Amino acid sequence: MSTDATDTPAPAPTATPMPTHAGPLLELDGLRKEFGGRHPNVAVDDVSLEVREGETMALVGESGCGKTTLTRLLLGLLEPTAGSVRFDGQDLAALTASQLRGVRRQMQVVLQDPYSSMNPRMRITDIVAEPLVTHDPEARGRRARARNRQRVGELLEAVGLDAGIQDRYPHEFSGGQRQRVSIARALALHPRLLVLDEPTSALDVSVQATVLDLLADLQQRLGLTYVFVSHNLAVVAQVADRVAVMSRGSLVEVGEAAAVLRTPRHPYTRQLLDAVPVLDPRRGRRAAARASAPTDGPTDDTTDDTTDAPTDEASR
């Protein structure tokens, strides 16, 4: 059985396609999602956000704040009650089923628990090849099986696993290895955007580090854009370029990661930082979180997006 990480991941099979739209890769404008009838529950309330090509946008907040619902909206898995989602300039709501299928090739997700996201009766080769079979007619049938296995082998090697594990089942691997398989599956269609929904929270700390290093390496080599959903501010400080803080379905603060984590403007963001556990209480929780934050200074984006109260972008 292969280990959680190898010395050097193999070169990525294929780079991400070049952008075709001059603006942000992902644009959320006034998104609102209600559940229920006469007295609806508002899960997402007037969220506006832009995600730039090649960056890592972290979406943080406590459990139940609406992060998962928002990611389902941006992936087109839920229809918004109001507002719009644009990917590469295309309004998802205006696309036909065929056009939306094409867009979904470019938007993939890595889920929190890799084991529950896999069919335990399927071999690794079939799990990783499933997106190919679903979206590419040429990948279906017995004649395509050899070609699929070659492609799966390339994907597994790209995430630091041995291509020879294809005939094994998910239960034969550790959590870190299964998450690498999930990442390989997400890369199968050459996506431009990966939604990473708590991708390391179910892993041991040592394994978390190797998976985060892998994600950073893949982003650099493939030009990927990440929406990184997490409640772990230490992880966010390590991976994020910008941070969007969510509370009760709304964004309350958006800005450069260094600025938001070192000098938070909104009270809720300060509460999140104060809740970070530390080994030495005398040092202070907020100081510990800031110590792991990026060292880059604030940029113009901080001034525009982060205010003492919810920003215009967050509270429209």
Side-chain angles (χ1 to χ4, degrees):
M1 183 180 297
S2 68
T3 59
D4 283 329
T6 58
D7 292 336
T8 304
T14 307
T16 302
M18 293 298 293
T20 59
H21 172 61
L25 179 63
L26 182 68
E27 302 171 81
L28 312 180
D29 185 14
L31 271 187
R32 181 180 177 89
K33 182 61 181 177
E34 300 175 355
F35 294 98
R38 189 172 181 180
H39 301 288
N41 174 43
V42 181
V44 173
D45 187 15
D46 202 16
V47 169
S48 297
L49 185 68
E50 294 182 350
V51 181
R52 306 160 185 161
E53 186 93 27
E55 78 169 342
T56 297
M57 169 64 78
L59 181 62
V60 303
E62 62 189 333
S63 298
C65 70
K67 301 189 301 295
T68 297
T69 300
L70 182 59
T71 58
R72 290 177 179 175
L73 288 168
L74 68 87
L75 287 167
L77 300 177
L78 288 175
E79 293 186 6
T81 304
S84 64
V85 178
R86 292 182 175 272
F87 181 82
D88 198 22
Q90 303 177 85
D91 187 343
L92 298 190
L95 300 179
T96 65
S98 176
Q99 291 172 329
L100 183 59
R101 190 180 184 87
V103 170
R104 281 179 172 161
R105 294 178 61 102
Q106 303 178 62
M107 308 165 67
Q108 295 293 303
V109 62
V110 176
L111 299 173
Q112 176 177 353
D113 183 358
Y115 190 67
S116 65
S117 69
M118 300 177 188
N119 186 334
R121 297 186 177 184
M122 292 176 64
R123 298 180 188 272
I124 297 300
T125 186
D126 297 318
I127 290 172
V128 177
E130 192 170 17
L132 298 172
V133 175
T134 300
H135 288 272
D136 186 358
E138 295 184 358
R140 302 167 192 166
R142 293 184 178 180
R143 294 182 179 179
R145 190 163 183 81
R147 184 168 62 250
N148 289 351
R149 285 185 66 88
Q150 180 179 357
R151 171 68 175 151
V152 169
E154 294 171 351
L155 290 165
L156 292 173
E157 290 178 347
V159 299
L161 294 174
D162 192 323
I165 68 171
Q166 296 191 46
D167 291 323
R168 297 180 182 178
Y169 292 91
H171 73 269
E172 299 182 59
F173 299 93
S174 69
Q177 290 169 327
R178 286 195 289 261
Q179 194 62 292
R180 287 171 180 266
V181 172
S182 294
I183 295 170
R185 176 176 58 185
L187 295 176
L189 295 172
H190 313 297
R192 296 168 63 187
L193 173 71
L194 284 189
V195 175
L196 305 166
D197 190 359
E198 301 274 8
T200 61
S201 63
L203 306 177
D204 294 338
V205 174
S206 60
V207 181
Q208 284 184 15
T210 62
V211 172
L212 292 175
D213 288 344
L214 170 65
L215 290 171
D217 178 68
L218 290 171
Q219 184 177 42
Q220 183 177 12
R221 289 191 285 126
L222 299 180
L224 295 167
T225 303
Y226 291 157
V227 173
F228 194 100
V229 182
S230 182
H231 64 270
N232 188 331
L233 293 180
V235 171
V236 168
Q238 180 179 345
V239 303
D241 298 307
R242 291 195 298 146
V243 176
V245 182
M246 195 167 190
S247 175
R248 299 182 179 181
S250 300
L251 295 184
V252 297
E253 187 164 352
V254 180
E256 298 292 332
V260 172
L261 296 177
R262 288 180 178 274
T263 55
R265 303 286 186 87
H266 194 273
Y268 178 73
T269 309
R270 291 195 288 268
Q271 290 177 12
L272 289 178
L273 290 169
D274 287 339
V276 175
V278 294
L279 293 177
D280 185 0
R282 294 172 297 180
R283 183 183 179 197
R285 293 182 173 86
R286 196 179 304 174
R290 292 173 181 173
S292 59
T295 56
D296 296 2
T299 67
D300 292 340
D301 184 61
T302 306
T303 303
D304 292 338
D305 289 339
T306 308
T307 61
D308 289 323
T311 64
D312 289 340
E313 177 181 318
S315 59
R316 281 202 302 268

